Amino acid sequence: MEQKYIDEARQGEAYYAPQADVAGQINKKKFYIESYGCQMNFSDSEIVASILQSEGYAATPRFEEAQLVLLNTCSIREKAEQTVRNRLQSFRKIKEQQPSMLIGVLGCMAERLKAKFLEEEKLVDIVVGPDAYRSLPSLVAEAEGGQKAVNVLLSREETYADISPVRLQSNGISAFVSIMRGCNNMCTFCVVPFTRGRERSRDAGSIVSECQALFDAGYREVTLLGQNVDSYYYSPIDGAPITFAKLLSSVADLSPLLRVRFSTSHPKDITDEVLHTMAAYPNICNYIHLPVQSGNTRILQHMNRTYTREWYLHKVSRIREIIPGCGLSTDIITGFCSETEAEHQDTLSLMEAVKFDMAYMFAYSERPGTLAARRFTDDVPEDVKKRRLNEIIDLQNQHSRQSYAQDVGTVCQVLIEGDSKRSATDWCGRNSQNKMVVFPKTHADEAPGTYVDVKILHATSATLIGERNG
Ligand code: SF4
């Protein structure tokens, strides 16, 4: 769950091709892809789209007209998997009408269940794990031949570095760039090490080239993605090893007009070098997503998070010393195995001490195959989990309201991303702290991709409302 969860609104988002090349798609075989879960999964769907396009497939926004329907799945909580199972059932009717249609499942749930997915969900023809997307064309050929096709081999090398992602559902301004895959941490509650394998860092040169190509194509923001970006470490054949701080500065050096964000950091690995690099580059955004998970050291040890409450608070103070005003968000799990009321209170008091701008908050959901499922009892009653989660959400809403209210009267630089969801007479875009800003369209020089200064007039707990400044 390190990877930042894509907002509920985007879950199950379907991919569709830019209008421009619809004409050329008429006679091509079509694929339809839906993505669930985190940014990494959405980024992987862009790799899959690229692999299929190079096999002559064209994308469609309507699954009814696709020969190949793909769900890129998430396994982070029981609810995420149930969502996929329900979605599969909605394809039952069309599959009966079009028996040649192939249905494939990708991502973490596919990797967790492997061939068992085919037994549990008869509609499914193809099961592909996160490291096996290159084999998709041959698996499709196998399934077209009437076989069920599975490839869930995890790799220690695969980074898809040579595959140019096809930007899905893109606003043409900001894009995800995956810099590494897998995770070597073994947090006891987490499925990721089992569904995405060991950690491997992508060739730094290919990352910088992808960012340059995005900038040349008009993008003005990249988010560097990894389960734990702070442990990025690439050893080129010739030359010195490249750490995350070095990679950050290489990308930021491409152009002062290219904003750089990254996700997700790990409290045990984030270094002062990274923080000083952020402080040195105005175009590296002052925002860090730093999952804490719990405010109690015994629970952190039970989760195998490898840091203490005190260590986390020290990291937060370093961030605020080196980057004053840095935006901070986090992940919190409540009701983890054996968590006492007092330990829950420690999480609330840590939130009070830090005052996060935003947080992803969940009740513990036991995941089959994880260390916690094998070693611990999921003994916190559901009603207690629920009450604790509500207390955490209430406190966070308070802190978010305070954080946004403090911005009223200030001026911030906003990268325009497009029309506000609420009104086409307003622009929306985020400031460096990753806060969404909405303001009326007033000047001819405004367009998606331009930077403007906005004076903040009002605030809700999730949006800043302002007007063009000067
Ligand atoms: S094992 Fe820990 S660090 Fe790795 S992805 Fe899971 S929660 Fe994040």
Side-chain angles (χ1 to χ4, degrees), residues 1-3 76 182-193 199 227-228 264-266 268 291 293 303-305 331 333:
M1 188 168 46
E2 287 298 346
Q3 262 315 307
I76 208 76
C183 187
N184 284 353
N185 299 315
M186 293 302 282
C187 303
T188 54
F189 55 81
C190 187
V191 287
V192 171
E199 197 171 85
Q227 306 294 348
N228 171 7
T264 295
S265 301
H266 197 294
K268 80 170 165 48
Q293 306 299 5
M303 289 174 165
N304 192 30
R305 290 290 292 168
D331 292 345
I333 295 175

Side-chain angles (χ1 to χ4, degrees), residues 63-295:
F63 66 77
E64 306 82 3
E65 58 181 50
Q67 285 75 38
L68 177 62
V69 170
L70 299 171
L71 298 187
N72 194 352
T73 67
C74 171
S75 186
I76 208 76
R77 268 173 299 287
E78 186 49 35
K79 183 167 171 273
E81 294 201 352
Q82 198 48 52
T83 304
V84 168
R85 292 184 194 279
N86 300 344
R87 184 63 174 134
L88 280 169
Q89 291 319 309
S90 71
F91 294 132
R92 178 173 296 287
K93 207 145 157 283
I94 187 84
K95 176 95 175 171
E96 281 157 11
Q97 291 158 356
Q98 299 175 32
S100 64
M101 172 191 275
L102 296 176
I103 296 181
V105 287
L106 318 176
C108 293
M109 187 180 173
E111 186 66 43
R112 188 180 78 74
L113 290 172
K114 302 180 172 35
K116 223 169 107 231
F117 213 138
L118 299 170
E119 295 152 26
E120 294 182 6
E121 302 290 343
K122 302 290 182 222
L123 280 176
V124 174
D125 305 292
I126 304 167
V127 178
V128 196
D131 286 348
Y133 296 147
R134 287 180 200 272
S135 68
L136 192 53
S138 59
L139 295 170
V140 169
E142 232 180 286
E144 282 168 344
Q147 309 294 314
K148 296 283 186 182
V150 179
N151 184 350
V152 286
L153 284 179
L154 287 174
S155 159
R156 283 181 177 271
E157 283 82 39
E158 183 63 87
T159 62
Y160 303 114
D162 59 323
I163 296 179
S164 305
V166 172
R167 302 297 157 183
L168 301 178
Q169 206 59 18
S170 169
N171 60 9
I173 303 301
S174 48
F176 296 142
V177 176
S178 149
I179 66 170
M180 57 199 301
R181 300 181 71 79
C183 187
N184 284 353
N185 299 315
M186 293 302 282
C187 303
T188 54
F189 55 81
C190 187
V191 287
V192 171
F194 307 99
T195 59
R196 285 185 168 273
R198 311 310 311 144
E199 197 171 85
R200 64 225 96 128
S201 295
R202 179 181 161 194
D203 172 328
S206 74
I207 297 168
V208 175
S209 313
E210 185 177 330
C211 294
Q212 181 67 64
L214 285 165
F215 184 77
D216 298 343
Y219 286 80
R220 288 294 172 269
E221 182 180 84
V222 290
T223 301
L224 307 181
L225 288 183
Q227 306 294 348
N228 171 7
V229 292
D230 293 302
S231 57
Y232 176 89
Y233 190 84
Y234 179 70
S235 302
I237 300 160
D238 51 1
I242 298 167
T243 62
F244 183 53
K246 288 205 177 60
L247 178 70
L248 262 182
S249 54
S250 307
V251 175
D253 279 335
L254 290 173
S255 166
L257 292 177
L258 181 66
R259 263 190 180 176
V260 184
R261 297 185 184 277
F262 54 86
S263 185
T264 295
S265 301
H266 197 294
K268 80 170 165 48
D269 296 322
I270 191 165
T271 62
D272 280 7
E273 192 197 1
V274 166
L275 301 180
H276 286 298
T277 304
M278 292 174 72
Y281 285 85
N283 59 324
I284 299 180
C285 293
N286 292 343
Y287 166 72
I288 295 174
H289 182 64
L290 194 68
V292 66
Q293 306 299 5
S294 170

